[in-house]
Amino acid sequence: MAAPNFPQKSFRLPPEVNRILMVRNLPFKVSAEEMFELFGQYGAIRQIRLGDTNETKGTAFVVYEDIFDAKTACERLSGYNMMGRYLIVLYYQ
Amino acid sequence: PQTPLAFMPNATTELELRNMPQSDAELDALLPAEGYRILEPPASYVPI
């Protein structure tokens, strides 16, 4: 029988969901405008760190202000085709 | 009748804890600094 759902203020988020997204497979020449435009449409961005050395090129950390924005962004943008490359978006642990 | 819930009206919920604003120092502690540069938001960026 269905568990009685107590009046919860908000549903519980899975533990791995957090506000910091690690993005991989980014085009190397992506600009700040493109990053803020693409990720900014899902919520206010706290900070973006873009890799600029040989090992870290193509990866970035995008930090959102709100955890739900980060969750939506992660769901919508993973697999997004940016300049011919499919983005990999993961929660940063 | 249902058992009364131990309801703490103004307790900070676990969600609020996870959504606390983070200072720059906390972010620096979390994120790798070397090999990454912090992007400045362009003038056209308007946080929604």
Side-chain angles (χ1 to χ4, degrees):
Chain A
M1 70 97 175
N5 47 8
F6 295 107
Q8 288 224 331
K9 214 164 46 156
S10 65
F11 53 86
R12 289 184 54 77
L13 281 175
E16 76 276 1
V17 175
N18 71 48
R19 284 173 292 182
I20 303 177
L21 300 181
M22 178 196 281
V23 187
R24 287 214 192 93
N25 210 22
L26 279 164
F28 291 160
K29 323 183 278 314
V30 67
S31 69
E33 286 76 18
E34 283 156 350
M35 287 297 283
F36 274 92
E37 191 194 327
L38 178 63
F39 289 93
Q41 59 192 341
Y42 292 98
I45 289 182
R46 172 76 179 77
Q47 188 187 75
I48 293 186
R49 290 185 186 216
L50 188 63
D52 54 10
T53 63
N54 284 345
E55 307 87 28
T56 59
K57 257 194 309 214
T59 67
F61 291 98
V62 178
V63 187
Y64 279 90
E65 301 276 356
D66 182 70
I67 196 165
F68 290 104
D69 297 343
K71 183 171 184 291
T72 320
C74 184
E75 284 155 4
R76 295 275 172 72
L77 284 179
S78 52
Y80 176 81
N81 185 334
M82 190 177 194
M83 296 185 217
R85 302 170 70 110
Y86 291 102
L87 294 189
I88 299 166
V89 184
L90 309 164
Y91 294 113
Y92 179 62
Q93 302 311 329
Chain B
Q2 265 187 334
T3 55
L5 279 173
F7 179 62
M8 299 168 290
N10 45 22
T12 53
T13 63
E14 174 255 350
L15 189 65
E16 280 152 4
L17 280 175
R18 284 164 78 175
N19 232 358
M20 292 281 233
Q22 290 170 314
S23 71
D24 285 347
E26 281 160 352
L27 281 183
D28 289 346
L30 280 170
L31 296 175
E34 73 286 344
Y36 287 88
R37 60 181 168 80
I38 299 177
L39 294 186
E40 286 309 317
S44 58
Y45 171 62
V46 170
I48 44 174

